[in-house]
Every structure is written in structure tokens, then in C-alpha cells.
Amino acid sequence: MMAMFDDFDIITLEDLEDIKESISTQDVPTAVNTIKEVLDKQDLVELNIGVTGESGSGKSTFVNAFRGLGDEEEDSAKTGPVETTIEPEAYVHPKYQNVKVWDLPGIGTPNFKADEYLKLVEFERYDFFIIIASDRFRECHIQLATEIVRMGKRFYFVRSKIDSSIVAEKRKKSFDQKKTLDTIREDCEKGLRTIGIEDPVVFLISSFELGNYDLNLLQDRMEQELPQHKRRVLMLALPNITLEINEKKKKVLEENIGKVALLSALVATVPLPGLSVAVDIAIVKKEIEMYYSTFGLDDPSLQTLCERSGKTIEEFKSLMKSPLIGGINPASILSLAGAAAVVVAENTVEYAVSLIPLLGSVVAGGMSYMTVSKMLKRALNDIAEDARSVLMASVQTEV
């Protein structure tokens, strides 16, 4: 059992001993809540992203798009042709309160000084910066990038409004999208080299069509350069708008299954009647709810997708094959383990206790490390596949 504890990189062996001691003295509902709190802990890792650039370069629209919001939706950053940001403003991710995308004041004023600017915006709070330009990068961008590196932080150059550039070029008879994008990228990189940046990398992004162009390249680079514990947060928070992101979200969630199953195994060693089954059902339900939310298959996310794509929720749900689509309840959860689905009582804990004589070996002493792993892997595979189907269908209908 002890060797399995190595699976935890956030919850230590000492924590596990404390958890076991706590739940040994608690009744079933309290113990279930204790375990849920332990799982919540790992999602408290903060991620702060600073978005900067000149006035009118599309900073605020990017802040919204990165959080999966349109410019006119509730909690979106104010956008407009003139600078609307006077001091750093944090916009919290709608699903992950620990992820903040900061809209920073515009750069490029006549007396701009990068070192003073970074002090003003309290540079140490950000994990990395995104420097946005809607045309060529200029001296102020370079000053800022140089100062960010000097202070030991990372940045990414983003050339925004690529959709507008493509529309303008499309009028030409000789239009070729790949050539156009390569030309824009080369032009930006050449400009950056001219003013002193070696080996510049520029990501071409349209905040209105975020899933197109260089989003996958940008998230790849961010993921590589973030510390391990922040990578998970980034991947969960990104909007599920490309097949690559869909696959990476699945991978990140899969990495967590061992930890959840380990908690199940720990609880199984506490001799409190009904506790093990109650905890197993509660933690599997909690994880599955997170899967739906992370992949954007929860009802509020689907509703937003309907408004953007012109499809109905029923059309999207008809593409989903997961047995959980009818609702995440003890019966559908147990069906993942191959257990017989039985009449569902509303109170999960009472229901779980009532199952002990009924399901015999499946739940004796807890559903066990292996069973919980199997249930979550099956749920995750099904939900990721459903998300892929919904994503493909929504992309086909977007104009």
C-alpha cells in the first residue's frame, strides 16, 4: 500500500495519515465531505497570465476568448477602439476561480519606460506575459520583452486580428492562405530580429476564431515552459476548441485517476460501515462532473455553444454516447463498473449503505483501487469521445 502513495505529488504521505485519522472519527456524510475537500485542494494552484500590448491591439478581446467568453457576455473585459484599461484588471476564469487572465494597461505611449511599466503592473504576480500586436511589433514591444526576460519571466509574442488580415488578402486573385500566414509571420519575425530579438517566435491568433491558426502551437509552448503543477491548471482552463486541446485535456485528467483511486483505497482501510462505498460514489461523481465541465459538455457550456453554432442542445446530446448522458447518479456510476443498475434513492449516502448487501463483492470493503480506476478511465474515454464529436459538429456549423 505504501508504495502506491508515491502517486501523490500534491498530497503527502503525512496528509494521508491525517486524512485517515480525521475520517476514522467522523460519520459517513462528514467523512465524504472531508475527502471531497482533499480533492479540491489540488485545484487551488493559481495561474496568472498578463496580457499586454498597444491600445486597440485586441488585448481585451484576447482576455475574453482565452476564458471562452465573447466580448458582450457577462464578466467579459471591456473592449473598444480606445484604451479602456488604466490599471491591471484581473478577469477570473468562469470555471476555475484560481485562473486569472489580467488585462494590463496599453503600452507604446510616447514616454513609455518598460521597467516603470512592469513595476506599475506588479510583474512578479504573473506566471507569463502575452505581448500582443495587431500589426508590426515595435520598439515598445521589444523594450518590454527585454525587461521581462531580465526579470526572469517568460513572454509570448502574439500577432492578433489574423482573421482581418486574411479577409483583406482574400480579395486578391492569387490568394493562398498558407502563403499569406507565412508572409505575416516572417514579416513580424524579421521586424523583431531587426530590433534585436534573436530567434523570435510569433504566434498568429484571431480572438474571434481562436481555434484556428496558431492556438495549438501557443498552448504547446506554454505547456512546455510552465512548471508541472501549473500545466494541469492551464490545460483544464483552455477552451475546448481544437482536437489537440481535447486530447491534452484527456491526458491531464487521466494522470489524476491514480490519485483518486488511491484515496478510495485509503478509505477502504477505515472500518466504518458504509463509508467506503459512499466515498467511492461521491468521489467518482465529483470527478465525472469535472470531466463534463472541463470538456465544455455541462449544460451552461452547451447552451453557449448552441448560441454560437446555431444548433440545439438536443442535436449535440444526440451525438453523445456515454451512459452518463442521462444524469450522473449512483446507478449510472455503478454501471461503469459493470455493476447492476438498481432503483436509485436520492440520498447518495443512504443509497450507498443500502447497496452493501445487494452488490456483495463489487462493493465489499470499497470498490477498491482497481475498480475506481476502471470506472474513471471508462467515463473519461466516453466523455472525451463525446466532446470530440460535439467539437467536430460545432466547427462544421460555424460560419
Side-chain angles (χ1 to χ4, degrees), residues 13 32 87 139 164:
L13 181 56
V32 169
E87 52 189 53
E139 186 59 44
S164 306

mmCIF file of all heavy atoms in Angstrom, residues 13 32 87 139 164:
data_model
loop_
_atom_site.group_PDB
_atom_site.id
_atom_site.type_symbol
_atom_site.label_atom_id
_atom_site.label_comp_id
_atom_site.label_asym_id
_atom_site.label_seq_id
_atom_site.Cartn_x
_atom_site.Cartn_y
_atom_site.Cartn_z
ATOM 1 N N LEU A 13 2.336 11.768 2.162
ATOM 2 C CA LEU A 13 2.042 10.604 2.996
ATOM 3 C C LEU A 13 1.506 11.055 4.348
ATOM 4 O O LEU A 13 0.563 10.474 4.895
ATOM 5 C CB LEU A 13 3.333 9.781 3.169
ATOM 6 C CG LEU A 13 3.231 8.501 3.992
ATOM 7 C CD1 LEU A 13 2.156 7.588 3.420
ATOM 8 C CD2 LEU A 13 4.566 7.768 4.001
ATOM 9 N N VAL A 32 -17.305 11.898 3.864
ATOM 10 C CA VAL A 32 -17.404 12.108 2.404
ATOM 11 C C VAL A 32 -16.957 13.530 2.066
ATOM 12 O O VAL A 32 -16.191 13.755 1.124
ATOM 13 C CB VAL A 32 -18.848 11.842 1.909
ATOM 14 C CG1 VAL A 32 -19.020 12.311 0.469
ATOM 15 C CG2 VAL A 32 -19.194 10.360 2.021
ATOM 16 N N GLU A 87 -5.536 50.502 -15.171
ATOM 17 C CA GLU A 87 -4.658 49.736 -14.284
ATOM 18 C C GLU A 87 -4.926 48.252 -14.483
ATOM 19 O O GLU A 87 -5.950 47.885 -15.075
ATOM 20 C CB GLU A 87 -4.849 50.156 -12.833
ATOM 21 C CG GLU A 87 -6.270 50.150 -12.364
ATOM 22 C CD GLU A 87 -6.383 50.800 -10.982
ATOM 23 O OE1 GLU A 87 -5.904 51.940 -10.802
ATOM 24 O OE2 GLU A 87 -6.946 50.129 -10.102
ATOM 25 N N GLU A 139 9.321 49.150 -31.184
ATOM 26 C CA GLU A 139 10.346 49.317 -30.141
ATOM 27 C C GLU A 139 9.776 49.081 -28.737
ATOM 28 O O GLU A 139 10.416 48.457 -27.890
ATOM 29 C CB GLU A 139 10.916 50.749 -30.250
ATOM 30 C CG GLU A 139 12.099 51.035 -29.335
ATOM 31 C CD GLU A 139 13.290 50.115 -29.565
ATOM 32 O OE1 GLU A 139 13.648 49.857 -30.739
ATOM 33 O OE2 GLU A 139 13.850 49.641 -28.562
ATOM 34 N N SER A 164 -8.863 39.431 -39.817
ATOM 35 C CA SER A 164 -8.996 40.656 -40.645
ATOM 36 C C SER A 164 -7.961 40.663 -41.758
ATOM 37 O O SER A 164 -8.265 41.044 -42.901
ATOM 38 C CB SER A 164 -8.801 41.912 -39.790
ATOM 39 O OG SER A 164 -9.681 41.873 -38.698
#
